[in-house]
Amino acid sequence: MTANRHVELLVLLESGGGDPTTLLKRVCELCVEVCAVSGAAVTVRGNGDGTAQAVAYATDEVSLALDDLQRTVGEGPKLAAHDSGGPVLIADLATTDARWLGFTPAARAAGVAAVFSFPLQVGVVRVGTLDFYRGSAGSLSRVELRDALALADIATHAVLDDLRGPDPMDIGWLSDVHAVVHQATGVITVQLNLSMHDALLRIRAHAYAHQTPLDEVSRQIIGHHLRLETGD
């Protein structure tokens, strides 16, 4: 993934304006366009263990049906991506019958031939998945995979932007951020040798995963009651 392409995709997404929810909608729509897939969806997960989940946006009914199917049978690409922390890329579902006995036959019956799922994560904290499907078998090209990874990263930021606090994609927040969050960000910057941008993102990801207000997490960090590890 190149920095220039990441910026190009952000420009395309931000041309539609709007809040984080609107941005997630645009991410899904852009996935269909640039990754040559039939449909896309973003699922947001919470409660730390990922048991609470909801579809933030889906481009079509098949994407919604795939989410419902995986919740029902308890298996499938998005669950595997969330559990493993890495992309799950299935170019031909006909080759995976033995892997997902409950999911694959029903997905193929719905006209799905290929599925691709990407975890939305910061460190080891996973806040959801970005999921694609195709109606015909075929791998993502190298360029399509690059764009999918970039869009998954952008979607991760959009999910975390739903937390109250500054935008982690804009470091202009530093002069105005609430003092306790600013202090905690400085602590994590030193402890983990991160930029202020990435330190804040780690704090927000921890707050999201543990369903704890951002200010409270920041106070725990400043008071030395919480120490974020390198992988958190």
Side-chain angles (χ1 to χ4, degrees), residues 51-177:
T51 54
Q53 58 179 298
V55 176
Y57 184 77
T59 60
D60 63 341
E61 291 299 321
V62 175
S63 294
L64 284 173
L66 287 175
D67 173 77
D68 184 67
L69 173 61
Q70 289 176 84
R71 294 192 203 201
T72 300
V73 301
E75 63 180 18
K78 74 166 54 186
L79 300 178
H82 181 269
D83 290 344
S84 69
V88 174
L89 311 174
I90 307 298
D92 187 354
L93 270 179
T95 67
T96 65
D97 284 341
R99 180 176 182 181
W100 297 315
L101 295 175
F103 169 80
T104 300
R108 292 179 63 192
V112 175
V115 288
F116 312 97
S117 292
F118 301 83
L120 309 183
Q121 62 184 359
V122 178
V124 298
V125 176
R126 294 161 200 150
V127 299
T129 55
L130 175 62
D131 309 290
F132 311 155
Y133 82 90
R134 279 178 172 163
S136 58
S139 302
L140 294 176
S141 70
R142 185 176 68 172
V143 172
E144 290 165 350
L145 179 58
R146 176 203 63 188
D147 286 350
L149 291 168
L151 289 165
D153 182 64
I154 293 168
T156 302
H157 284 77
V159 170
L160 293 176
D161 278 352
D162 273 335
L163 292 175
R164 293 190 179 275
D167 180 351
M169 289 188 285
D170 177 7
I171 61 174
W173 56 270
L174 287 175
S175 61
D176 299 320
V177 71

Side-chain angles (χ1 to χ4, degrees), residues 6 10 13-14 17-24 27 42 44-45 56 120 122 127-128 151-171 173 197 200-209 214:
H6 196 283
L10 274 174
L13 290 166
E14 291 175 354
D19 57 17
T21 300
T22 301
L23 181 57
L24 290 176
V27 164
V42 170
V44 177
R45 292 169 173 264
L120 309 183
V122 178
V127 299
L151 289 165
D153 182 64
I154 293 168
T156 302
H157 284 77
V159 170
L160 293 176
D161 278 352
D162 273 335
L163 292 175
R164 293 190 179 275
D167 180 351
M169 289 188 285
D170 177 7
I171 61 174
W173 56 270
H197 170 286
L200 175 63
L201 195 58
R202 289 291 181 89
I203 295 170
R204 295 180 74 174
H206 182 92
Y208 182 94
L214 192 61

Side-chain angles (χ1 to χ4, degrees), residues 209-224:
H210 295 274
Q211 298 293 289
T212 304
L214 192 61
D215 280 4
E216 176 58 28
V217 171
S218 298
R219 281 190 289 270
Q220 291 176 15
I221 290 170
I222 294 170
H224 304 292

